[in-house]
Amino acid sequence: MEAWVDVDKMHDCPVLATIQVIGGKWKPRILWRLRDGAATFGELRRIVGMSEKVLQENLLALRRDGVISRTPVKGGDIVYVEYRYTDYGLSLVPVLDAMGNWGLAHAAKERDGEPSAARAPRRRA
């Protein structure tokens, strides 16, 4: 995924800029977990359930976008790394909360057998 955003695309749909940063299979899961606070690489790997390589790639991408930070922490004789939101990344939490609430409502509709907008016929204006 490229780090730059075409200004014309941003103008047409600024949501694309957000999805470019938080989209994909694993980034939303990482970001959702970090809402609860800092996590080590091992904790993220266990909770999110992906390979080390994929986790490293996703964490690096989120760090490059300035959303999360990587901080070495000394715990006794052991040094480990924690990942957490940056101040800039914290601005995504309300976005993730809104998306999570929408997802829960959508899942409830699907569970209750209500047609989703994707399957329902579209009305013409």
Side-chain angles (χ1 to χ4, degrees):
M1 182 170 7
E2 296 184 23
W4 61 273
V5 175
D6 185 338
V7 175
D8 289 337
K9 287 183 182 176
M10 267 262 310
H11 178 72
D12 292 341
C13 183
V15 173
L16 289 174
T18 307
I19 291 174
Q20 200 170 30
V21 173
I22 68 170
K25 181 176 181 179
W26 299 108
K27 288 181 192 174
R29 292 176 174 138
I30 293 167
L31 294 171
W32 192 256
R33 165 51 188 90
L34 291 178
R35 289 170 64 254
D36 295 333
T40 65
F41 186 90
E43 289 169 339
L44 287 170
R45 184 155 184 243
R46 279 189 300 276
I47 292 167
V48 178
M50 69 181 92
S51 73
E52 285 187 28
K53 180 182 182 225
V54 171
L55 179 56
Q56 286 173 343
E57 290 169 354
N58 281 271
L59 290 171
L60 182 58
L62 290 167
R63 286 179 51 216
R64 284 184 182 148
D65 286 325
V67 174
I68 64 170
S69 64
R70 179 184 185 271
T71 307
V73 177
K74 186 169 180 164
D77 294 336
I78 301 172
V79 176
Y80 58 95
V81 175
E82 283 187 338
Y83 294 90
R84 68 182 67 225
Y85 279 106
T86 61
D87 288 340
Y88 176 65
L90 285 171
S91 66
L92 278 172
V93 172
V95 174
L96 294 168
D97 286 343
M99 291 175 75
N101 289 334
W102 188 91
L104 289 171
H106 180 71
K109 281 181 67 169
E110 292 287 308
R111 181 192 64 233
D112 296 339
E114 295 180 36
S116 70
R119 286 189 245 133
R122 293 186 179 200
R123 292 185 183 170
R124 293 191 180 187

